[in-house]
Amino acid sequence: MSSDPNDSAANAGDADGIVARFEADALGIADLDALEELRASYLGRKRGAVTALFQALRELDGDAKRAAGAAANRARQQIGARLEQIETELRSAATASREQAELVDVTLPAIPDNLGGLHPITQTLQEIQNVFVSMGYGVVDGPEVETDWYNFGALNFPEEHPARDEQDTMRLAGDLLLRTHTSPVQIRYMEQHQPPLAIIVPGRVYRRDTPDATHNPMFVQCEGLLVDTDITLADLKGTLDHFAKALFGPGTKTRFRPGYFPFTEPSAEVDATCPACHGDGCRVCKGSGWVELLGCGMVHPALFENVGYDPTKVQGFAFGMGVDRIAAVRYGLRDIRAYYDNDLRFLRQFTS
Amino acid sequence: MRFSRNWIAAYTDLPEGTALHEAMSMLGLVVDDARPHGDDVTLDLDFPSNRPDAMNHLGIAREMALSANQPLRTPTVEFPVDPAVASAELTRVELRDPACVRFLGRVAIDVSVGPSPQWLCDRLEAIGLRPINNVVDITNFVMWEMGRPMHAYDMDKLRGDGLIVRRATSGEKLVTLDDIERELSAEDLVIADHERVVGLAGVMGGNDAGVTETTRRVLLECAFFDAVTIRRMAKRHAMHTDASHRFERGLSAEGIDAAVERACGLLHELASATISVDSLDMTGALPEPRQIALRSNQIRALLGVDVEPTEVSRILSGLGFQLEATAEGFTATVPAPRVDVDREVDLIEEIARFYGYGNLPGTLPLVRSRTGGGLQPVLLDEMQLRTTAASMGFWEAMTFVFTSQTEQAPFAGESSAYVELANPLSEAFAVMHRNLTPGLLAAAGRNRSVGQQAIRLFEIGRTFVPQTGTAVGERRRMGLLATGEIAAPHWSADSRAASFSDVKGAVETLWKRMSWPELQWAAAPVEGIQTGTGAEISCEGSVVGFAGKIDPAVAATASVESDVWVAELDIEDFAGRERPALELAPLPRYPASERDVSLLVKNGTLYAGVTVALGAATDVPLADYRLLGLYEGDDLPDGTSVWTLRLTYRSSERTLTAEDIEVAHDSVVERLVKELDAERR
Ligand SMILES: [Zn+2]
């Protein structure tokens, strides 16, 4: 660069002096506010020392102007770079100190949950419902106080027959009783609706059993009823096999044995491979590898007659399961009185 | 019912070990238990109540043989008769009641009563019967072999000429074989001689005419009595015997002859008896044999599989049905003992049973329903209430619906009527509950007794209210209970005990979740609730429930010492309601401003006054308000406290100016001060 040495020297001297003064001032900068103040006093539009150098260029021309301009630019660059450096340092120091101050112990316990939960029977019932609802079944309920007719007569229980004793009944006044099963709802529903129909019926039922490890005077059943023109026992097998697999897992097998219920003919008892041991035998299945799942059968024609259907035109199947017992199998529960003790130490284990 | 494996095996070959149980269960006979008994096995079978015909060793063997396609070895019966000995000349039997449909009597003389041979003792002992003497043992043996109850009388102990079947006269007495004196009623069907009752028909014989070591002449009785008559007698006398068990399930008039022949053969063989040449056969009106048409296409329609006619024939013939081929299939004549078979479908069940349920295919039907799938609205609502309550920290309880008046009365009121059980399990379960709260309180007590401190429970269930006559009203109710800490002490917060606001908040949240009409809360005396803490909850102008703190004296009866806050609501009229259509509000276009105000109010002032004051403030742009703080400090004048409210102002038309807000706020505060008789602080 060639210029007037005096002029350029004088300007260069001013610029160097400003840079040197800046360097000295910069040493004391401890925070971003002070930094902005510093920036303003050197690069600020109004009172910046470097800005003044540029303003002074207006008084010069020729080589002197070029030399002084170069020196001013150099000073602006040096100061600018230094300011940027200081800012970066200050910002990272501020971040570090904030991070230090706001350190979180991520292993500290969380704020405790405020969750309650659903009863294990409700949870199991929900799963049962889900299986059948996904197949197109409706879910309905009915009264818990029933007449003798709906609980027994309409379901083809002969008058004064021991089959009635097998469901030891809690009676109220007159011919009213606490329903011993959810099956009366089959009759009530068919009386109100025409086939085809597909429903399940969950609900509480009552038997005169003293509470012990395997009995309660109150428990929950879920009934199923499918009526159409051409439903077969093979359809019942297929449906319940599907249900067992959905409930206990795809590896589950089912076994149909002849059974007796006044309201179905043919009737069957269905076992499923034990979900605890998958059929090898364990304490849940008492070593047999099988657990009783439910009772079922083809709807007895007498029921169709009792509700005004033509039994030569419709066929259907029905099934009924003890939700308490199925839940006991699923959870390996030994004493089903626990369901109605409502002990929170028990209930809290069924996180849903 | 107990059976002997060896005894069944005498008539057909059986699978070994547990394969036998498997084979039996696949026919519908569940082996509940199997215990070794010497070289025999005692099988405890769960017998379906519709098969009295098969509740015997030969009956089981018949089914096992048919199922395994094995031969059945029926015992041969051969014995000499003495033409000089005629039952009809030695005695008489008179039927005076139609409940005895048939009575077969036969005389055996020169009977040597003594112990039974070992094989017979073994048979009886294997099924839990005690051998008595050869004659009694033979009657028991034949009942358990062929299923026909039978009785042997010592003819020389009978007074007058033979037996009469009649109803007892009220007050007559009989000492039955179990040495218990029974007082008889006019409904009891009895076997009597000409002076006294000697047996309860179809239930148990009497001591007076029983066979003992000195007996020489025996009158065997095998009869068919009406099932209901026997059932009522057995119930009336609380006597459940092997005989009554069979009669009340239904036997038949046929099959008696074979059983008596069998017994006579054994009497001859084991007691060297001389058997009479004839029987006294007293028979009333016998039913015609039933004939049932069986259509081959119906077998397929019901089972979903074709069964070959030869297989149908093999199965039904093997069970004793007589078959005649028809164009559509068969006509089957039902063997008399099969009282369970009277429709085509019953025949098809028999075919399925022996075809093998396991051999049927499994198919998934096309599910068609005129009524649609999914939960009916009331069940959907109940489920939503449950999940909402659970998400608020309440655990679902299930309590028994039967309870005692003592437990219910504190909440139902002393004068309430209950639905009573006619045959309760115990006094503690004598009535149906009207309220859920007592059950929840009892559950809280049990939890307290096992050391649980923070207890929050809810239940949804039916309650039962007597109506006119014997009618019973069922109401769906929901109960909530909270006691102890709502929040346990924790590093992030202090503990807090349950309060009225917790149950009120839960109830309101539930109601809001269901979009049910708004609830009104009014201070009111409530049964079982501590005075001054009770609220009556109303909806649409009717009382629907209550809330408050259980009277400490009542809580103490359940061993709960801490404050127990409860709410209970009748949801019968709400669950399943159609939800109101959602009215979507546009989002606010202009900003809101908040102003707080503190008011010095006299204690006893109801917060409801705020609602009254602000509910009427429709002329100011008040968008929302809430109670921010309640302060009761020593620095306040006696009997006062400070309420701090936060009020939110917003206009839907423009941004409010500071002046707008000031004007509105002054107006609102003025109304509050007036309504609450408060002082602005
Ligand atoms: Zn198992």
Side-chain angles (χ1 to χ4, degrees), chain B residues 255-267:
Chain B
I256 291 178
D257 315 65
V260 170
E261 293 268 310
R262 174 68 164 148
C264 289
L266 290 169
L267 280 175

Side-chain angles (χ1 to χ4, degrees), chain A residues 116 141 160 165 171 208 228 235, chain B residues 231-232 363 376 390 422-423:
Chain A
D141 74 356
E160 303 212 40
D165 299 343
R171 298 194 169 271
R208 200 172 175 284
D228 206 325
D235 290 334
Chain B
R231 174 174 159 80
R232 288 181 181 166
T363 49
Q376 72 181 128
N423 57 343

Side-chain angles (χ1 to χ4, degrees), chain B residues 144-289:
Chain B
W144 283 95
E145 180 181 62
M146 304 174 77
R148 300 305 309 223
M150 186 174 284
H151 194 71
Y153 297 92
D154 183 334
M155 280 179 70
D156 296 306
K157 290 182 190 155
L158 296 178
R159 299 175 188 171
D161 189 8
L163 294 174
I164 303 164
V165 186
R166 59 166 170 88
R167 298 284 167 160
T169 51
S170 182
E172 267 188 296
K173 293 203 167 59
L174 170 70
V175 178
T176 41
L177 283 170
D178 51 10
D179 291 325
I180 296 173
E181 187 181 72
R182 316 268 174 185
E183 179 155 336
L184 307 179
S185 83
E187 290 143 65
D188 288 329
L189 186 71
V190 296
I191 316 292
D193 61 19
H194 288 261
E195 289 183 14
R196 60 195 171 160
V197 175
V198 295
L200 267 180
V203 182
M204 195 181 275
N207 263 345
D208 287 345
V211 172
T212 60
E213 265 113 71
T214 57
T215 300
R216 299 294 295 153
R217 300 194 304 157
V218 164
L219 172 57
L220 271 181
E221 169 229 304
C222 189
F224 168 47
F225 302 111
D226 168 57
V228 172
T229 305
I230 303 303
R231 174 174 159 80
R232 288 181 181 166
M233 282 165 62
K235 281 201 156 180
R236 191 159 47 243
H237 294 287
M239 294 171 77
H240 186 89
T241 64
D242 290 334
S244 71
H245 189 84
R246 287 171 173 76
F247 277 116
E248 63 179 303
R249 278 160 180 73
L251 293 175
S252 62
E254 290 82 350
I256 291 178
D257 315 65
V260 170
E261 293 268 310
R262 174 68 164 148
C264 289
L266 290 169
L267 280 175
H268 174 73
E269 184 186 331
L270 307 179
S272 46
T274 301
I275 310 299
S276 63
V277 67
D278 62 335
S279 294
L280 293 164
D281 189 353
M282 310 302 295
T283 302
L286 296 183
E288 286 292 305

Side-chain angles (χ1 to χ4, degrees), chain A residues 116-117 122 139 141 144-145 160 165 169 171 189 195-196 204 208 228 233 235 237 265 267 342 344 348, chain B residues 231-232 302 346 349 357 360 363 368 370-371 374 376 390 396 398 422-423 447 452 456 459 474 491:
Chain A
T122 302
V139 186
D141 74 356
E144 292 177 15
V145 172
E160 303 212 40
D165 299 343
T169 310
R171 298 194 169 271
Y189 200 81
R204 291 181 181 181
R208 200 172 175 284
D228 206 325
L233 188 58
D235 290 334
K237 271 191 83 173
E265 187 85 5
S267 302
N342 301 307
L344 284 163
R348 284 200 185 103
Chain B
R231 174 174 159 80
R232 288 181 181 166
L302 202 65
D346 300 325
E349 178 175 61
Y357 277 24
L360 293 171
T363 49
R368 302 195 304 165
R370 258 184 223 292
T371 51
Q376 72 181 128
E396 188 184 12
M398 286 197 187
N423 57 343
N447 274 293
Q452 297 295 298
R456 266 181 291 173
E459 180 170 24
E474 289 183 34
W491 65 269

